[in-house]
Amino acid sequence: MDHIFNGRTLNFAHRGASLLAPENTLAAFELAAQQGADGIELDVRLCRTGEWVVIHDVRLNRTTNGRGFVRAKSIDELRRLDAGSSFHQSFANERIPILAEVLDWAKGRVLLNIEVKSQARAHTGAELRLLNLLRRHGMRQQCLISSFNPIVLRRLARLDPGLPTALLLNVKWLRRGTAKSLTRMMNINALHISRRLARPRFLEHIRRAGLRVMVWNANDPATLRKLVAYGVDGIITDAPHLLNDILGRTLSR
Ligand code: G3P
Ligand code: CA
């Protein structure tokens, strides 16, 4: 885990620098890297032909000029879509990235927090395919996998116990005393909690359970400052440039 969490508050760009560029595109990732982000948070799901593609929603409608479910489309159909114009016409050339190309782009440059968007309970081999992709691209050491779906995380932990994983929480269902059993059950290393859950007592409870904690999605200076003061392990933000300033880090890229 120390190869991801290094003792200082990590600056993760939520879907890239999504305040200023179309979410989950290479343009947003490139901008986040230039703005000093330590890592990129991105959403992945499988398309019909079996590739992991980078897109948040289950449907294409909100962020692209396509219609329908991502899982019903082939990779060729998806690659023809415009994933930038719905944000601004100047991004009309942006495409839905394939995870493989993002791995190559990020290598040796930024960390990746890959959020697996999957409701699936049945075993399909998807987690093994993801793990093999990370290994083939030499990116296992630079990636942290998160999901709202604990089944996905448990399967990944069984396949590769050393792979850093994080469970996403947006409701306060985690009660005192249960964090330890969660880590045993799933072998997770971190909790990624929504900012409304980020209160000192809860953060302390998570830490005592031996887990790292990242907070999403904080974008205003006051909240970012508060979270930095709490000493969280990472913040996932649409505005990595703001967080970089608050952390007092200079731009080296
Ligand atoms: O990874 C944290 C956050 O991205 C989870 O929510 O809906 O933005 O994917 P969402
Ligand atoms: Ca996400």
Side-chain angles (χ1 to χ4, degrees):
M1 268 314 261
D2 292 348
H3 59 281
I4 302 286
F5 295 107
N6 57 11
R8 57 181 206 162
T9 301
L10 292 173
N11 179 352
F12 267 85
H14 182 238
R15 311 179 194 176
S18 55
L19 196 67
L20 302 171
E23 67 177 58
N24 283 321
T25 63
L26 282 168
F29 301 161
E30 181 61 43
L31 184 59
Q34 287 170 13
Q35 291 177 340
D38 299 297
I40 310 286
E41 188 268 357
L42 62 150
D43 305 290
V44 300
R45 46 181 76 253
L46 282 169
C47 68
R48 193 185 79 223
T49 41
E51 291 82 3
W52 286 100
V53 290
V54 182
I55 186 166
H56 180 275
D57 295 4
V58 75
R59 291 173 194 266
L60 296 160
N61 306 35
R62 180 178 62 87
T63 56
T64 78
N65 60 345
R67 292 288 173 268
F69 290 101
V70 177
R71 65 168 181 269
K73 306 288 183 190
S74 70
I75 192 64
D76 291 340
E77 288 171 308
L78 292 176
R79 293 293 278 175
R80 284 197 287 272
L81 298 176
D82 170 354
S85 290
S86 59
F87 183 85
H88 191 273
Q89 203 51 43
S90 58
F91 291 102
N93 291 328
E94 288 305 312
R95 296 289 168 258
I96 297 173
I98 305 175
L99 178 57
E101 71 180 316
V102 180
L103 295 175
D104 288 341
W105 171 85
K107 193 164 183 178
R109 197 171 181 202
V110 286
L111 301 170
L112 293 181
N113 170 199
I114 300 173
E115 184 192 340
V116 178
K117 292 288 190 195
S118 166
Q119 303 304 316
R121 291 173 182 215
H123 184 70
T124 60
E127 293 84 5
L128 181 59
R129 292 218 297 282
L130 177 60
L131 189 56
N132 284 340
L133 189 66
L134 302 187
R135 287 172 175 160
R136 263 202 316 278
H137 288 258
M139 279 293 285
R140 184 186 161 280
Q141 290 289 101
Q142 256 177 265
C143 292
L144 164 69
I145 312 296
S146 64
S147 186
F148 284 108
N149 185 340
I151 299 169
V152 166
L153 299 177
R154 194 174 54 211
R155 284 200 192 114
L156 280 169
R158 279 190 189 144
L159 289 166
D160 184 347
L163 182 73
T165 54
L167 180 68
L168 283 157
L169 286 187
N170 59 2
V171 286
K172 201 168 179 173
W173 60 267
L174 191 67
R175 293 200 165 77
R176 276 180 172 279
T178 59
K180 262 190 191 139
S181 48
L182 263 180
T183 54
R184 274 200 298 272
M185 268 159 40
M186 285 183 282
N187 241 343
I188 57 168
N189 307 102
L191 287 179
H192 290 185
I193 63 174
S194 76
R195 66 175 181 277
R196 285 184 189 82
L197 300 181
R199 307 243 167 80
R201 275 185 68 189
F202 190 46
L203 293 171
E204 185 52 31
H205 173 59
I206 296 169
R207 284 198 198 97
R208 278 212 212 110
L211 294 167
R212 305 294 187 135
V213 59
M214 295 228 280
V215 181
W216 52 276
N217 177 19
N219 300 317
D220 66 277
T223 308
L224 290 170
R225 272 194 207 97
K226 187 176 72 181
L227 294 173
V228 171
Y230 287 166
V232 298
D233 296 291
I235 300 172
I236 301 172
T237 176
D238 295 350
H241 61 295
L242 275 184
L243 180 54
N244 197 63
D245 285 351
I246 287 166
L247 290 167
R249 293 179 191 160
T250 50
L251 293 175
S252 56
R253 294 187 184 94

